[in-house]
Structures are given as structure tokens and as C-alpha cells.
Amino acid sequence: MVDVILGLQWGDEGKGKIVDYFAPKYDVVARFQGGPNAGHTLYVNGEKMVLHQIPSGIFHQNTINIIGNGVVLDPVTLKKECDKVAAMGIDVKKNLFISERTNIIVPTHRALDKASEMQKGESKIGSTLKGIGPAYMDKTGRNAIRVGDLLDKSFITQYIKLRLKHQKLLDNFNFIEDITAWEEEFFEALEFLRTLNVVNGEYFINKKISEGKKVLAEGAQGSMLDIDFGTFPFVTSSNTISAGVCTGLGVSPKQINEVLGVTKAYCTRVGSGPFPTELEDATGEELRKTGNEFGATTGRPRRCGWIDLVALRYACMINGVTQVVMTKADVLDAFEDLKVCTAYKIDGKEKQEVPFQMTRVQIEPVHKSFKGWNIDTTSITEAAKLPTQMSSYIDFINNYIGAPVKFVSNGPGREQIISL
Ligand code: GDP
Ligand code: IMO
Ligand code: MG
């Protein structure tokens, strides 16, 4: 049996905290897509930790963590992260496992990401520059090096071949930065990677499932960044939705049980691309300040706006969401009035569907207003104590999106979550 936790917006919904909260109920936590573009924040004994490659179950001694085949893995980021986690008393050699089919991000992927973004100029994606796009392109282009290849003597030949191919592309981009230092740390990190548990991920995880163990699949990014269903081309390069769990871990769709979708009580986006409910005014600034909306991976300020129910309902549909977790509800505590977007006005017509493309059309959000609750909710622990205005806000969202909000997160701490 596999449950899933994934983002329903444009990423940074608070998945790390939610996975960390639920992890003790699971035997296995597995990342199924994305790479070090992810930044999942959690608090361990009051200490802040941001995970990019390692699944967010790592701080629970009895939980096994798997980096699945659908992930793209940067050995340098992984090594740094393992060092940090080890310093916090976690034995990664005991409870971290990596699929041999996981694709490796090489230094030239990062260089290509940078070169491609530079060439795009104004129309850049706003990528995290971690090499994600180029690494997935080499996967679908059937050129990639995978973790299992590290253990084979052909590895260095494969690397040189890929490096030469990339160099030609970099020359085309007129990319002249020296990446020798990146390559040195890459080869050093590969030595470390060779000491970790590399397994046949699909057999490993299916064996756990047949033994009755409970698996939690942890999504990265968010549904509106999905390569097929997101706001293309301003998306990431993987399937971030629940379907990605099957291809990213090698599990059957029949095994998928609960799909927990995480959404903020409002909305943010980092990087370029359409964002119909974006507020480029004082209210947007207040959301950013109150919500401390700065990227966990790049430190960039996140764009902020009201919750977009058109996009949220769409995300629930394509993921088959069974339960919604609403995070950062406390950020709305200080707002007198709140808004939710219930339709998009395009060419004078109101629509409740996400259009094929959102960049070439002018979308005006249609809002419904709510009275704010105006009390500090951060120390509330029971649903019955939540302000009635918050309950009305949540009821409206439940009805609109057709999936129930079952949990409300009211602060970044592990214990700040209320079951409804
Ligand atoms: P992820 O990528 O989905 O894991 O989310 P990030 O870690 O990038 O960003 C979420 C941010 O919000 C982090 O700084 C979390 O510590 C913080 N956070 C998570 N849940 C809550 C919450 O309910 N309230 C507040 N105020 N902060 C939260
Ligand atoms: P987590 O898992 C928010 C965004 C980037 C950019 C686009 C493509 O922390 O929620 P990429 O580096 O993937 O080629 O960038 O996707 N992006 C994210 N935004 N949270 C993330 O991950 C993201 N990962 C990528 O900002 O707009
Ligand atoms: Mg994040």
C-alpha cells in the first residue's frame, strides 16, 4: 500500500513539514521525481533543516528512505546533505537507499541549464539552475548515466562521451565558464555515493509492499509545475502528479491508496510564468513578509497571491486527491479581508477551467471575498477551537474543489497541525 503526499500549487506548499509529520506512521518514505530543485523545510528539535535530495522521513530512525528511479540525483548536493544529516545523529548508511536506475546530474547539466536560461533572456523559465531540465532531457534522449552505472567499469567511458556531447552544446551557447572545480567536487562526491546503499528500487519497494509495510511517496515541486499539466513551458521537467509515483518508483497504480494534496491557504510561485491571482501590491508584500516567502533552494522572493480554486480543483482532479492538507493558515491571521479566486475571466467570459495555455491570454481572476478571523491561531490544537471565519473559508474551498481539507497547519513546527 502506497500513500502519496504532493503539492497542489506551484511548489513550496510545505510538503517537507507534512511528510515529516506523517513519517512515523510509515515504514518507508520515497522520493519519486525531481531533484535538488526541491527544498523541503522541516524542524528537528527546533533546528531548521532544508532537504533537497534526501526524503523527508530521514529523521525518523525506524523509517527507511528511498531515492527512486524517477529522481535526478546530484551527487554533490547529496553528499553535503548526508554530511549535515549525519552531524544530526542520523546514520544514512543504515536508512537511506538509492535506486540503481536513478539518473545522475553531471556538472555539465548545471552548465547547460545556466547557458539555456541565459540564452532565453527575458523569457527564461526562472529555473533553479540545478541542471534539472538537461538531466531529464538526457534521460528521455537515452544518453543519461544512472547510479547503477557507477559500479560498472564502463562508467568513465560513458562520462567522457556525455561530457563531449555537452561540450558541443555549450560551445553552441558560447558558454565559457570554467567548470573544473565543479567536476572535482563531482568526482569526490561519486566516491561517497559508491559507499551508500544502491538497490534495485522496484524490487526493493515491491518486496516491502508485499510484506505489508506502509510506503509514503513524497512529491517535489507542485502539480502546476508538472511537465504535462502545468503552466507549460514554465514548468519543471518531471511528472509531479500522482501518476509519477508509479513510473518514479516502479509500483503499480493498484497500490496507490490515499493521495494527500498539500496547498497553502493562499498561493505562491517562484520563477517565471503565469500566476493569475498574483498580487503585485501591498497585500502581496504583506503575504510575503508574514509568510516569510523566500525560496528554500535559491533564496529568491516568492511571488504571492490569493488561493486559486480553479487551479486547485484542476490539481485535485488530475491527482485523484482524497484528502487536502492546508498549510500556512496562520499567515492569514492578520488579514482583515481574504479573497479566493473562483473563475478566470478570459476575453470577457468567465471560465472555471484551466486553459490549454496561460501565457498568451489575459486572465483576470474573479474573486469571492471573506471576512478574516483576525486572531492568532498558532497555538490552537483542536478543530473545535478554530475561528468560525476560518471554518467558513475552508467549507467554501471543500465544496468548490470537491475534496475535503482534513488537516490545517498553523505554523512551521512539527506539532502545529490540526486534524479536522
Ligand atoms: P516544500 O518545498 O513544499 O517542502 O515547502 P518549503 O519548505 O519550500 O516552504 C514552506 C515554508 O513554510 C517553510 O519555511 C516551512 O517551514 C514553512 N511552513 C510550513 N508549514 C507552515 C505553516 O503551517 N505555517 C507557517 N507559518 N509556516 C509553515
Ligand atoms: P519544492 O519541492 C517551487 C520552479 C523553478 C522554476 C521552474 C523550473 O521545494 O516545492 P527547474 O529548476 O525545475 O528547471 O525550474 O520550477 N521550481 C520550484 N518552485 N518549489 C520547488 O520545489 C521547485 N522546483 C522547481 O523556480 O520556475
Ligand atoms: Mg520548497
Side-chain angles (χ1 to χ4, degrees):
M1 203 247 352
V2 182
D3 291 342
V4 186
I5 290 183
L6 47 72
L8 295 177
Q9 300 170 306
W10 281 278
D12 301 329
E13 297 90 349
K15 299 173 292 293
K17 167 187 159 159
I18 303 304
V19 171
D20 174 56
Y21 171 77
F22 283 107
K25 296 194 176 138
Y26 291 88
D27 303 290
V28 177
V29 176
R31 275 276 306 267
F32 59 93
Q33 48 68 233
N37 48 351
H40 295 179
T41 313
L42 35 102
Y43 283 83
V44 189
N45 304 325
E47 197 181 329
K48 181 175 167 174
M49 179 72 197
V50 181
L51 295 170
H52 304 285
Q53 291 276 191
I54 301 179
S56 301
I58 197 72
F59 293 103
H60 301 277
Q61 304 281 0
N62 299 324
T63 309
I64 282 173
N65 289 263
I66 303 179
I67 296 178
N69 59 278
V71 170
V72 284
L73 180 67
D74 183 337
V76 178
T77 309
L78 180 71
K79 180 174 183 301
K80 283 187 191 149
E81 212 161 283
C82 283
D83 289 347
K84 271 199 201 155
V85 166
M88 291 164 87
I90 302 296
D91 184 0
V92 287
K93 298 203 174 151
K94 186 175 142 258
N95 63 2
L96 179 66
F97 293 80
I98 304 168
S99 165
E100 57 195 357
R101 294 182 192 271
T102 304
N103 287 242
I104 293 178
I105 300 178
V106 299
T108 36
H109 284 140
R110 275 162 62 194
L112 282 165
D113 204 357
K114 200 169 169 185
S116 159
E117 286 284 77
M118 271 159 60
Q119 198 195 47
K120 284 192 163 131
E122 285 281 283
S123 57
K124 70 175 181 186
I125 308 294
S127 132
T128 57
L129 302 179
K130 303 291 178 190
I132 306 299
Y136 277 115
M137 280 161 75
D138 272 333
K139 174 178 178 172
T140 51
R142 296 159 292 183
N143 296 306
I145 304 175
R146 306 190 288 178
V147 170
D149 295 324
L150 283 180
L151 311 170
D152 194 275
K153 59 179 185 317
S154 69
F155 167 74
I156 199 68
T157 321
Q158 284 186 61
Y159 178 79
I160 290 167
K161 207 170 136 200
L162 194 61
R163 175 80 171 82
L164 282 173
K165 174 184 165 256
H166 289 168
Q167 193 55 55
K168 285 193 192 131
L169 294 169
L170 288 169
D171 291 345
N172 264 341
F173 279 120
N174 288 322
F175 185 88
I176 47 158
E177 272 182 50
D178 181 9
I179 61 162
T180 319
W182 291 3
E183 278 193 304
E184 275 168 15
E185 59 174 2
F186 173 73
F187 277 98
E188 209 181 294
L190 286 186
E191 287 313 309
F192 173 75
L193 180 51
R194 286 193 175 99
T195 68
L196 297 179
N197 300 304
V198 174
V199 292
N200 179 314
E202 58 278 23
Y203 279 109
F204 187 88
I205 206 158
N206 279 291
K207 183 160 180 282
K208 296 278 178 214
I209 293 171
S210 61
E211 286 166 0
K213 301 273 197 276
K214 289 180 77 183
V215 177
L216 180 62
E218 172 182 7
Q221 291 79 56
S223 306
M224 297 310 286
L225 288 171
D226 181 272
I227 182 71
D228 283 282
F229 300 104
T231 48
F232 191 86
F234 299 98
V235 292
T236 190
S237 299
S238 64
N239 280 118
T240 59
I241 62 168
S242 53
V245 173
C246 300
T247 53
L249 295 176
V251 298
S252 150
K254 289 183 193 157
Q255 298 295 346
I256 309 281
N257 186 38
E258 297 288 338
V259 179
L260 279 83
V262 188
T263 176
K264 280 178 187 167
Y266 50 100
C267 197
T268 65
R269 166 162 211 169
V270 62
S272 329
F275 180 4
T277 61
E278 181 172 15
L279 294 166
E280 290 175 283
D281 58 7
T283 311
E285 190 53 48
E286 200 181 338
L287 280 171
R288 182 156 40 248
K289 220 172 106 208
T290 317
N292 192 22
E293 295 295 357
F294 296 90
T297 297
T298 57
R300 292 178 291 179
R302 294 176 183 147
R303 300 156 62 193
C304 298
W306 298 122
I307 195 165
D308 178 344
L309 299 187
V310 178
L312 197 61
R313 178 161 64 187
Y314 176 73
C316 288
M317 175 180 79
I318 55 181
N319 284 299
V321 166
T322 57
Q323 300 180 34
V324 175
V325 183
M326 180 182 281
T327 58
K328 303 194 95 159
D330 55 297
V331 173
L332 299 183
D333 285 356
F335 286 78
E336 291 285 336
D337 297 295
L338 309 172
K339 288 194 173 116
V340 305
C341 167
T342 55
Y344 294 161
K345 202 176 219 177
I346 303 171
D347 293 333
K349 289 199 193 89
E350 284 189 22
K351 305 225 158 123
Q352 295 197 333
E353 288 188 2
V354 171
F356 160 64
Q357 61 82 33
M358 295 168 85
T359 41
R360 294 193 296 268
V361 287
Q362 197 66 35
I363 299 178
E364 195 192 317
V366 177
H367 287 126
K368 177 177 166 55
S369 297
F370 284 83
K371 262 257 94 359
W373 40 91
N374 277 155
I375 58 158
D376 179 353
T377 59
T378 52
S379 45
I380 295 178
T381 53
E382 302 162 44
K385 301 256 167 70
L386 286 174
T388 52
Q389 294 91 333
M390 192 194 275
S391 305
S392 311
Y393 184 74
I394 291 173
D395 284 348
F396 183 84
I397 293 172
N398 284 345
N399 284 332
Y400 189 103
I401 63 176
V405 174
K406 289 277 195 186
F407 298 89
V408 173
S409 170
N410 56 339
R414 242 182 202 170
E415 70 296 344
Q416 288 173 299
I417 185 161
I418 302 159
S419 174
L420 301 187

